[in-house]
Amino acid sequence: MRIMSASQYDGKRSVDAGTREQQEAVKAILTSVRQQGDEALRYYTERFDRVLLQNFCVSEGEFAEASELVSSQVKAALEEAAENIRTFHERQVRQSWFTTKESGTLLGQLIRPLQRVGLYVPGGTAAYPSSVLMNAIPAKIAGVPEVVITTPPGANGKINPAILVAAQIAGVTEIYKVGGAQAIAALTYGTEQIKAVDKIVGPGNIFVALAKREVFGLVSIDMVAGPSEIAVIADETANPRYVAADLLSQAEHDPMSAAILVTTSQALAEQVSQEVERQLADLPRKSIAEAAIRDYGAILLVADLEEGFAVINRIAPEHLEVMIAEPLEHLGKVENAGAIFLGPYSSEPVGDYFAGTNHVIPTNGTARFSSPLSVDDFIKKSSVVSYSKRDLRENGHKIVALAEQEGLSGHGRAILARLRDFETEEQESEKR
C-alpha cells in the first residue's frame, strides 16, 4: 500500500453516477414497467435473468425447500444475529408525545409506521442474507404492517435459499422474483402482481442505484449508496496483521472500495503495507481487493492523534476502526463516521453480521450528514396542535402581524375571523 503524509491525501473518490447509456436504459425500464406492468417484468426477467416466469411470488413450497437446503449451522447463526439486531434496534423505538399548557393548548407529535415497505435484495453470487435481516428487522420493529422483498431469480427460476431462510427469520413472507431496475419500478408504480410501496431500501448494482435515484420523490428511499469504505486510525500499539486483514475485508467488496489507514507510527505503516501484500496473495477475491488497494487504498502518516482524528473527520468514513491504546477515551473526538468499532476485537465484520448494529451505512463522506439505517427510517411523524381559545385570544394579533409581514392576507384573515367573534362575544357578555 502507498504510504504518504496525510497532507498529501485529497480523500476524493468519484462514485460512478452511471453512463448516459445506463441512465437512459434505466429510464426506459421504468417507463415500460409503469405502462405495461407484469408484461414488462416478464420481458426483463427473461432478458436479464434468463428465465421466463408467469408468477413472481415465492410459494410456501419454495420456502420449505430452502429451509432444507441451508445448513443448521447457518440457520442458527442467522437466528442469533437476528436476535442481536432486534435487541439493538428495539432501543430506537420512538413514542408519540403530547404536552399541555395551563391555558388549555395541547402540542405533540404523533408517530406512525409506514404502511408498506419494499426491500431490494441482490441475488446470485451477491446474495447477502445478512442484509435481509438488517433491512427487514428495523421495519418490523417500527410496526410496518406490510414488508415485501424483491430479488432476482437464478436461471432455474428460484431464489437463493439463504435469502428465503433469512426472510422467514425476519418475518417476511411476501417475496417476488424480480430484480434490477424493473424491481424498483414495480415497487414504485405497482403491477398486477406487486402492490406499490411507500419506501424502498436495500443495496443493488448501478442499475438499481440509478433507478432508486430516479424514483425518489414518488417513493422514499434509504440512500444511493456508493462502494464500501473503511478507515482505521491506529497507533504503535495496533496489531499490523489485524489492521491489514480489516482493510482487506472491505477492499474485497468492490474495485472502488476505499481502505485507509491513518497512523502516528511509521513502523506500523510499513508493517501494515507488507501485511496487506502478504494477505492479498491467497485472498479468494484477490483481483477485486488488489484493484481497490491500488486505486483507493492509502496509509496516511500524522504527527499525533489530534491530527489523525481531524483527518478521519474530513474523510467521514462509512466504517471507522479505532485501534489505539484506550480507544474509548478518544471516542468524543469522532465527529463524522457511519459506524465506529473500538479496540482490536471489534473487527468491522462483527458489525456486518452479528453484533446487532446496522450494516446499511452512509458511504463516500455522506456520514457528515446522514446515519445508518434504523427504526426511524420506517416511521413518519405528524405534528399535533390543539390551540386553546385563551391562547388564540392572547396571541392572535401577533400571528396576524406575521402574516401581514409576509403578504399573506388570507392567513391573517383566518385568524381575524375568530378574533372578531371573540370581540362580539365579549360585547354581548358585557350587555348581559
Side-chain angles (χ1 to χ4, degrees):
M1 288 182 73
R2 51 187 173 148
I3 302 174
M4 66 181 76
S5 167
S7 61
Q8 297 175 287
Y9 180 71
D10 63 13
K12 294 182 179 178
R13 179 174 54 156
S14 176
V15 176
D16 188 7
T19 64
R20 174 172 290 185
E21 290 75 14
Q22 289 171 330
Q23 294 170 6
E24 292 302 319
V26 165
K27 289 179 181 179
I29 292 171
L30 294 175
T31 299
S32 180
V33 174
R34 186 178 71 242
Q35 295 176 347
Q36 301 172 29
D38 286 349
E39 181 182 346
L41 293 184
R42 290 189 186 94
Y43 169 78
Y44 289 116
T45 302
E46 184 175 22
R47 176 180 172 185
F48 298 127
D49 302 307
R50 299 182 180 181
V51 59
L52 179 61
L53 299 175
Q54 293 302 318
N55 189 353
F56 300 109
C57 189
V58 172
S59 68
E60 291 184 10
E62 288 173 298
F63 276 111
E65 180 184 17
S67 184
E68 294 295 323
L69 294 173
V70 176
S71 73
S72 58
Q73 181 182 21
V74 170
K75 286 182 191 174
L78 286 171
E79 289 275 11
E80 194 169 349
E83 187 55 36
N84 292 340
I85 295 166
R86 286 189 191 97
T87 299
F88 180 84
H89 288 79
E90 281 170 353
R91 298 182 68 88
Q92 300 173 346
V93 175
R94 293 174 180 254
Q95 301 294 332
S96 299
W97 60 268
F98 301 93
T99 182
T100 56
K101 298 181 179 180
E102 290 183 8
S103 60
T105 287
L106 177 146
L107 300 175
Q109 188 175 72
L110 192 64
I111 306 293
R112 288 287 183 263
L114 302 181
Q115 289 301 297
R116 184 170 170 85
V117 169
L119 315 181
Y120 185 86
V121 178
T125 59
Y128 301 126
S130 60
S131 286
V132 175
L133 303 181
M134 294 291 178
N135 284 276
I137 290 174
K140 287 289 187 177
I141 290 172
V144 177
E146 297 179 23
V147 180
V148 54
I149 287 174
T150 60
T151 187
N156 61 357
K158 296 183 178 181
I159 301 300
N160 184 293
I163 295 295
L164 297 185
V165 168
Q168 283 188 301
I169 291 171
V172 179
T173 56
E174 185 181 352
I175 303 181
Y176 297 97
K177 306 172 190 178
V178 182
Q182 59 271 26
I184 304 304
L187 293 171
T188 301
Y189 309 120
T191 71
E192 294 88 339
Q193 292 188 41
I194 303 175
K195 193 169 82 172
V197 302
D198 302 310
K199 183 166 188 170
I200 301 171
V201 302
N205 62 20
I206 183 62
F207 295 99
V208 171
L210 289 174
K212 286 172 69 176
R213 181 180 294 168
E214 193 71 24
V215 301
F216 176 62
L218 295 172
V219 293
S220 177
I221 64 171
D222 50 352
M223 63 184 78
V224 180
S228 187
E229 64 207 19
I230 185 172
V232 179
I233 183 167
D235 60 16
E236 69 282 354
T237 66
N239 185 320
R241 288 188 298 112
Y242 294 176
V243 174
D246 291 355
L247 292 173
L248 290 173
S249 75
Q250 292 307 294
E252 73 171 353
H253 267 297
D254 187 282
M256 288 187 68
S257 294
I260 307 297
L261 168 62
V262 177
T263 182
T264 56
S265 169
Q266 176 76 41
L268 180 73
E270 294 171 357
Q271 290 168 343
V272 169
S273 180
Q274 293 167 6
E275 270 296 319
V276 166
E277 294 304 315
R278 186 186 69 79
Q279 293 183 30
L280 261 175
D282 62 353
L283 190 69
R285 294 170 67 91
K286 176 183 177 181
S287 61
I288 295 172
E290 196 168 43
I293 292 295
R294 180 189 67 236
D295 297 334
Y296 301 103
I299 298 174
L300 310 181
L301 293 170
V302 292
D304 51 36
L305 288 178
E306 291 297 326
E307 183 187 359
F309 280 104
V311 170
I312 290 296
N313 288 327
R314 285 198 299 273
I315 295 172
E318 177 188 17
H319 307 97
L320 169 63
E321 291 188 357
V322 184
M323 289 199 185
I324 59 177
E326 306 300 332
L328 190 58
E329 292 183 5
H330 295 269
L331 179 60
K333 294 174 182 174
V334 180
E335 296 290 341
N336 303 321
I340 304 166
F341 302 82
L342 303 176
Y345 309 116
S346 303
S347 178
E348 186 277 334
V350 172
D352 260 0
Y353 291 109
F354 203 74
T357 54
N358 207 290
H359 75 200
V360 181
I361 310 171
T363 61
N364 204 40
T366 58
R368 292 178 295 111
F369 51 79
S370 53
S371 309
L373 192 75
S374 73
V375 172
D376 282 351
D377 287 288
F378 300 101
I379 62 171
K380 55 189 176 181
K381 312 176 191 81
S382 299
S383 300
V384 178
V385 180
S386 178
Y387 216 54
S388 70
K389 186 175 183 178
R390 173 179 164 184
D391 278 345
L392 188 60
R393 179 184 285 111
E394 180 178 342
N395 299 312
H397 287 292
K398 302 169 191 174
I399 299 169
V400 172
L402 292 172
E404 290 177 347
Q405 171 63 35
E406 295 188 352
L408 297 173
S409 58
H411 284 61
R413 288 181 182 183
I415 302 299
L416 285 170
R418 292 162 172 80
L419 295 181
R420 292 191 183 106
D421 282 350
F422 297 162
E423 292 175 3
T424 300
E425 290 171 7
E426 290 170 2
Q427 290 169 1
E428 291 178 351
S429 176
E430 289 173 0
K431 289 178 183 178
R432 288 195 294 268

